[in-house]
């Protein structure tokens, strides 16, 4: 037995050395972050596991409640779907009023939920703010204006800001979430995001092909930070959290050098995420103030020629009977905007096996849209 234990620890030690020398030392950080709280995976409730910057609010204002607030009972289909996919919250805004909300697993209206990749859509909104401010010329500005390292790169010198938002950057990056040695796993736990992102090579000319790559959002975050001259969390507070009178301050996870995880990890309440959807529904206008240019909002929501299910980091569904646009985050986080019905749906959860259609859109969005649209219509008859 003693020999077996010695052999085991010797093998484990050797493996640890190999992992460290191979550049995968972030795995030890992942284990350290997660071993006490639970599984070694990202979670929708992990805002305390990482350092973060505060996204402050001001003059907070709660949603006005609809006269029929929470009168509705969820359908059997919707109840089963939410239970199966481990929902933590569901919220519906109808005609700019809070129509329905429900929370599960000890969550409540003030719980901060991890946006995951919904942050990419919020990042695109901030680009719109920067264009309106004049900090960025337009979505067609060259990235090399702000990242001079790209100026002599045969591919990088052609990269535009819009390519980062439409996922047409052409990076040599495989989007992979299912094993700890993937670049996405490294991105989630790495200590220096800027170093990682700017060292990713190109494999093809930008603007030619759609390929979803989280590194594109991180590069976009670097570009935006340099353009506005302040941390992304401060800019988010200035441009969205304070003007929209969010109910609660949010948090944005950062690396060890204080760079926000631009590809993910804005921790906010479902009620405040819903205000992001309402801003989109109102074409960038809030209480008489044009927060984001109306033209830019339209561009954000317009699918590209290369992928008719994707705009500026916001997903599109014009194929279903009820058309919608939605922010989509890992493990089933959604902000769904339904212009034709003046509806916003926010759903958060913890489920990594959502079925998708041929365009990689989660089928759960269709279930939410169809069931809730019918429920709201039926309640108002």
């Amino acid at each position: 037995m003693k020999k077996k234990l010695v052999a085991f620890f010797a093998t484990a030690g050797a493996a640890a050395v190999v992992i460290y020398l191979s550049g995968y030392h972030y795995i030890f950080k992942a284990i350290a972050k997660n071993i006490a709280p639970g599984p070694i995976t990202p979670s929708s409730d992990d805002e305390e596991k990482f350092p973060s910057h505060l996204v402050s609010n001001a003059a907070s204002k709660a949603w006005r409640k609809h006269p029929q607030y929470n009168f509705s009972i969820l359908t059997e289909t919707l109840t089963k779907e939410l239970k199966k996919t481990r929902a933590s919250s569901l919220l519906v805004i109808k005609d700019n009023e809070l129509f329905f909300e429900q929370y599960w697993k000890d969550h409540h209206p003030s719980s901060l939920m991890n946006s995951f990749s919904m942050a990419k859509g919020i990042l695109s909104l901030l680009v719109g703010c920067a264009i309106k401010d004049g900090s960025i010329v337009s979505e067609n500005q060259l990235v090399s204006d702000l990242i001079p390292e790209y100026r002599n790169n045969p591919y990088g010198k052609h990269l535009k800001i819009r390519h980062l938002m439409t996922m047409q950057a052409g990076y040599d990056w495989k989007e992979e979430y299912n094993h700890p040695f993937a670049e996405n796993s490294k991105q989630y736990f790495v200590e220096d995001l800027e170093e990682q992102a700017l060292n990713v090579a190109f494999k093809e000319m930008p603007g030619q092909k759609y390929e979803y790559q989280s590194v594109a959002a991180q590069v976009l975050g670097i570009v935006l930070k340099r353009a506005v001259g302040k941390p992304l969390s401060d800019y988010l507070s200035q441009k969205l959290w304070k003007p929209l009178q969010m109910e609660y301050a949010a948090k944005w996870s950062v690396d060890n050098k204080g760079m926000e995880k631009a590809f993910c990890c804005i921790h906010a309440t479902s009620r405040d995420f819903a205000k992001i959807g309402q801003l989109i529904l109102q074409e960038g206008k809030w209480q008489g103030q044009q927060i984001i240019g109306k033209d830019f909002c339209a561009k954000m929501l317009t699918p590209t020629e290369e992928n008719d299910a994707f705009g500026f980091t916001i997903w599109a569904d014009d194929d279903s009977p009820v058309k919608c646009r939605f922010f989509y985050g890992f493990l089933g986080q959604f902000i769904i905007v339904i212009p034709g019905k003046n509806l916003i749906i926010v759903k958060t959860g913890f489920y990594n096996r959502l079925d998708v259609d041929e365009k990689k859109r989660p089928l759960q969005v269709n279930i939410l849209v169809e069931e809730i649209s019918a429920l709201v219509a039926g309640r108002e008859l």
Side-chain angles (χ1 to χ4, degrees), residues 221-271:
I222 295 168
V223 167
L224 182 60
K225 181 179 179 180
R226 294 183 182 183
V228 302
K230 63 180 63 179
L232 298 179
S233 49
D234 288 350
Y235 198 62
L236 177 58
S237 172
Q238 175 191 346
K239 294 299 177 181
L240 296 180
W241 240 249
K242 289 180 178 178
L244 271 56
Q245 296 178 283
M246 297 300 198
E247 285 191 57
Y248 299 93
K251 295 180 180 180
W252 201 336
S253 296
V254 298
D255 66 12
N256 285 16
K257 296 197 172 183
M259 177 71 209
E260 285 83 359
K261 295 181 179 181
F263 63 95
C264 82
C265 309
I266 296 172
H267 302 270
T269 67
S270 293
R271 288 184 177 186

Side-chain angles (χ1 to χ4, degrees), residues 4 10 38 63-64 98 115 117-118 133 180 195 198 216 237-238 303 306 365:
K4 289 182 178 179
W63 284 99
R64 182 173 61 251
L98 182 58
S115 69
S117 287
M118 293 198 303
D133 287 349
E195 179 184 41
L198 297 186
S237 172
Q238 175 191 346
E306 292 77 14
V365 171

Side-chain angles (χ1 to χ4, degrees), residues 48-229:
E48 296 295 341
K49 293 181 183 178
F50 298 95
S52 62
H53 285 164
L54 185 71
V55 181
S56 59
N57 59 337
S60 64
K61 186 176 181 180
W63 284 99
R64 182 173 61 251
K65 291 183 178 178
H66 193 280
Q68 296 170 334
Y69 168 74
N70 270 11
F71 280 14
S72 299
I73 299 174
L74 298 181
T75 64
E76 182 179 355
T77 298
L78 195 52
T79 300
K80 286 182 178 179
E81 179 69 16
L82 293 170
K83 183 178 180 180
K84 182 186 78 173
T85 57
R86 302 171 65 186
S88 50
S89 71
L90 177 68
L91 186 145
V92 179
I93 303 296
K94 170 63 177 171
D95 297 330
N96 205 14
E97 294 180 330
L98 182 58
F99 183 82
F100 180 87
E101 65 180 332
Q102 188 169 342
Y103 300 88
W104 296 269
K105 298 184 297 184
D106 298 323
H107 294 91
H108 44 78
S110 62
S111 295
L112 299 184
M113 316 285 193
N114 191 343
S115 69
F116 288 109
S117 287
M118 293 198 303
K120 294 180 174 75
I122 295 173
L123 192 65
S124 291
L125 284 170
L126 292 181
V127 170
C129 293
I131 291 172
K132 187 173 182 292
D133 287 349
S135 300
I136 290 176
V137 178
S138 77
E139 68 275 8
N140 291 312
Q141 183 175 356
L142 289 172
V143 170
S144 59
D145 289 348
L146 294 151
I147 300 181
E149 297 93 321
Y150 284 173
R151 288 175 185 167
N152 296 321
N153 186 295
Y155 292 143
K157 66 183 181 181
H158 297 289
L159 182 67
K160 297 179 181 179
I161 290 173
R162 75 180 310 275
H163 296 147
L164 298 172
M165 294 187 289
T166 58
M167 294 295 169
Q168 297 172 25
Y171 286 113
D172 187 9
W173 172 284
K174 183 179 179 181
E175 194 78 3
E176 173 62 66
Y177 305 94
N178 295 324
H179 65 82
F181 298 101
E183 284 299 299
N184 291 84
S185 300
K186 181 178 181 180
Q187 188 179 41
Y188 197 70
F189 293 102
V190 74
E191 296 178 355
D192 190 337
L193 281 163
E194 185 166 318
E195 179 184 41
Q196 183 205 22
L198 297 186
N199 279 310
V200 175
F202 292 87
K203 64 180 179 182
E204 56 196 5
M205 189 64 69
Q208 302 299 308
K209 178 183 173 184
Y210 167 87
E211 184 176 357
Y212 190 96
Q213 298 176 323
S214 287
V215 68
Q218 191 59 45
V219 173
L220 181 62
I222 295 168
V223 167
L224 182 60
K225 181 179 179 180
R226 294 183 182 183
V228 302

